[in-house]
């Protein structure tokens, strides 16, 4: 079933249907859209339709009434797509929300080329775009292109310290706090933290949350238990081995992201240690791999889909979007068997 947060069920997506039916998202799409030139077995078709019914999946509205001969459009600028799964998730959330309101979403990947961004914005503005979402793959402070100020706009996964723009970002400090507190509440006291590279805003904020949780619960902060990794399995592996060479070894390791946890798992198993029997492991991001690790990785969900949806709702709301307002969206825990 889809993850839940704050006691309410998340919107069911095509990905959830595919997982429930044990098929690919492409298969689900072909079945739901009755694609004639793709041969899909009757049993598979039945499984997909049964999953749709069981999960109460709501397809994008069909046959929307559009009062104008031209469907209104929202623009979505993102610096990169291929280097991370999160950009695509944010775009999907924004596209679904836009279409539910009878709007199209046009996406432009710019690689932070300011000249390209300006040309794209000028094109959209000339065509009467309703609003523009400006998204960064990394949570960070940005200087938006000047042309963005000429249209109703919102920043996603980034913020501007110089120009007044509304923005939405993950609540990373609270996410790091919640992850660490979940370990403390389960009795772990010697909790290590393997972070990413410290120039990253997410790495600094998750570390701040870890430190705040230890201080709140009167647990000494041991600098020897804090390691800088690289948000990759290699960093998780190397830094876990370094932690295991200490005496005593940690009873829990909070990894700054799920890829770090992959390397952490490898190092722990190489040393013959059980997860969570000997050492508990916490991740962060809730990437697809987290649920397939053995044991399943407890982690923190980055709300990229929800940020995309929020941005569309914000742009289409009747309120004033010109005043600076940075919203920090909750990063809920996803509990599995690693703690």
């Amino acid at each position: 079933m889809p993850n839940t947060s704050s006691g309410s069920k998340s919107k069911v997506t095509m990905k959830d249907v595919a997982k429930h039916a044990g098929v690919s998202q492409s298969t689900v799409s072909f079945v739901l859209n009755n694609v004639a030139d793709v041969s899909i077995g009757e049993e598979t078709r039945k499984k997909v339709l049964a999953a749709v019914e069981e999960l109460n999946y709501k397809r994008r509205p069909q046959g929307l009434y559009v009062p104008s001969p031209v469907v209104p459009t929202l623009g979505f600028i993102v610096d990169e797509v291929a280097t991370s799964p999160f950009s695509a998730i944010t775009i999907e959330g924004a596209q679904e929300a836009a279409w539910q309101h009878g709007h199209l979403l046009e996406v432009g990947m710019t690689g932070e080329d300011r000249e390209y961004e300006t040309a794209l914005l000028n094109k959209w503005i000339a065509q009467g775009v309703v609003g523009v979402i400006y998204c960064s793959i990394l949570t960070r402070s940005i200087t938006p292109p000047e042309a963005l100020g000429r249209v109703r706009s919102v920043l996603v996964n980034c913020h501007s310290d110089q120009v007044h723009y509304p923005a939405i970002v993950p609540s990373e400090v609270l996410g790091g706090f919640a992850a660490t507190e979940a370990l403390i509440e389960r009795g772990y006291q010697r909790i290590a933290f393997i972070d990413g590279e410290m120039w990253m805003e997410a790495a600094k904020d998750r570390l701040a949350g870890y430190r705040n949780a230890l201080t709140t619960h009167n647990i000494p902060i041991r600098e020897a238990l804090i390691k800088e990794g690289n948000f990759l399995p290699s960093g998780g592996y190397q830094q876990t081995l370094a932690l295991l060479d200490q005496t005593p070894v940690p009873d829990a390791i909070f990894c700054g992201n799920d890829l770090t946890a992959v390397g952490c798992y490898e190092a722990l198993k190489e040393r013959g240690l059980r997860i969570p029997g000997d050492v508990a492991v916490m991740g962060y991001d809730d990437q697809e791999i987290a649920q397939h690790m053995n044991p399943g990785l407890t982690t923190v969900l980055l709300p990229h889909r929800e940020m995309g949806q929020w941005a569309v709702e914000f742009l289409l709301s009747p309120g004033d979007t010109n005043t600076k307002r940075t919203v920090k969206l909750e990063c809920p825990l996803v509990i599995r068997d690693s703690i």
Side-chain angles (χ1 to χ4, degrees):
M1 290 295 290
N3 294 325
T4 60
S5 62
S6 304
S8 61
K9 190 168 75 171
S10 302
K11 180 180 176 181
V12 177
T13 66
M14 189 177 291
K15 179 180 176 182
D16 298 319
V17 174
K19 181 181 175 184
H20 195 78
V23 299
S24 69
Q25 284 184 242
S26 297
T27 298
V28 174
S29 178
F30 289 147
V31 170
L32 294 182
N33 290 298
N34 294 312
V35 178
D37 55 354
V38 176
S39 178
I40 296 176
E42 190 57 33
E43 275 305 307
T44 299
R45 191 177 298 274
K46 287 179 179 177
K47 281 199 300 184
V48 170
L49 294 176
V52 167
E53 185 173 349
E54 289 169 20
L55 297 181
N56 194 27
Y57 172 64
K58 303 295 186 184
R59 299 180 61 190
R60 291 177 184 166
Q62 303 294 311
L64 279 171
Y65 169 69
V66 180
S68 166
V70 177
V71 179
T73 300
L74 294 170
F76 190 110
I77 288 178
V78 61
D79 47 4
E80 296 288 345
V81 174
T83 54
S84 166
F86 298 127
S87 297
I89 295 170
T90 306
I91 291 169
E92 188 176 74
Q95 184 178 23
E96 289 177 350
W99 188 238
Q100 286 173 355
H101 287 282
H103 288 60
L104 294 176
L105 186 79
E106 289 190 5
V107 180
M109 190 191 78
T110 66
E112 286 192 275
D113 183 321
R114 187 50 48 90
E115 188 175 344
Y116 188 92
E117 289 179 345
T118 299
L120 185 59
L121 284 165
N122 287 338
K123 167 185 174 291
W124 282 340
I125 292 168
Q127 293 173 341
V129 70
V130 174
V132 174
I133 297 166
Y134 190 95
C135 179
S136 169
I137 193 172
L138 291 177
T139 309
R140 60 193 175 95
S141 175
I142 58 127
T143 301
E146 186 177 342
L148 193 65
R150 295 166 47 210
V151 65
R152 193 174 176 92
S153 56
V154 61
L155 308 182
V156 170
N157 205 41
C158 56
H159 53 90
S160 174
D161 298 329
Q162 300 172 341
V163 187
H164 295 298
Y165 281 97
I168 183 164
V169 297
S171 185
E172 299 277 26
V173 175
L174 288 179
F177 185 100
T180 308
E181 187 172 62
L183 292 167
I184 295 170
E185 288 176 345
R186 285 161 176 77
Y188 300 105
Q189 291 287 307
R190 191 172 171 82
I191 302 169
F193 182 66
I194 304 176
D195 207 352
E197 297 170 83
M198 289 310 297
W199 62 266
M200 297 182 181
E201 190 170 303
K204 290 186 285 189
D205 285 352
R206 294 170 195 181
L207 175 58
Y210 162 84
R211 289 180 178 275
N212 291 347
L214 293 181
T215 301
T216 299
H217 290 272
N218 298 313
I219 297 175
I221 297 173
R222 302 176 177 92
E223 297 298 330
L225 293 180
I226 301 173
K227 300 292 183 182
E228 182 176 340
N230 55 7
F231 278 165
L232 295 171
S234 59
Y237 175 79
Q238 292 162 4
Q239 297 296 2
T240 298
L241 291 179
L243 288 167
L244 295 179
D245 287 337
Q246 297 185 22
T247 303
V249 300
D251 57 5
I253 300 175
F254 174 14
C255 295
N257 73 347
D258 294 343
L259 291 180
T260 298
V262 171
C264 177
Y265 268 46
E266 184 180 351
L268 290 172
K269 291 178 180 180
E270 188 177 284
R271 291 286 180 92
L273 297 172
R274 297 165 301 141
I275 307 169
D278 297 312
V279 181
V281 180
M282 172 73 70
Y284 203 108
D285 286 349
D286 196 30
Q287 292 199 39
E288 178 75 18
I289 194 173
Q291 60 188 296
H292 301 296
M293 294 167 70
N294 184 23
L297 178 66
T298 296
T299 185
V300 177
L301 172 69
L302 274 178
H304 284 281
R305 180 183 301 278
E306 291 77 8
M307 288 195 296
Q309 294 169 340
W310 184 94
V312 169
E313 298 291 342
F314 181 73
L315 285 178
L316 298 181
S317 66
D320 181 15
T321 63
N322 292 322
T323 54
K324 184 172 183 178
R325 173 190 176 200
T326 299
V327 172
K328 295 191 174 183
L329 206 58
E330 177 191 3
C331 301
L333 278 169
V334 181
I335 303 295
R336 298 193 179 97
D337 295 330
S338 65
I339 69 172

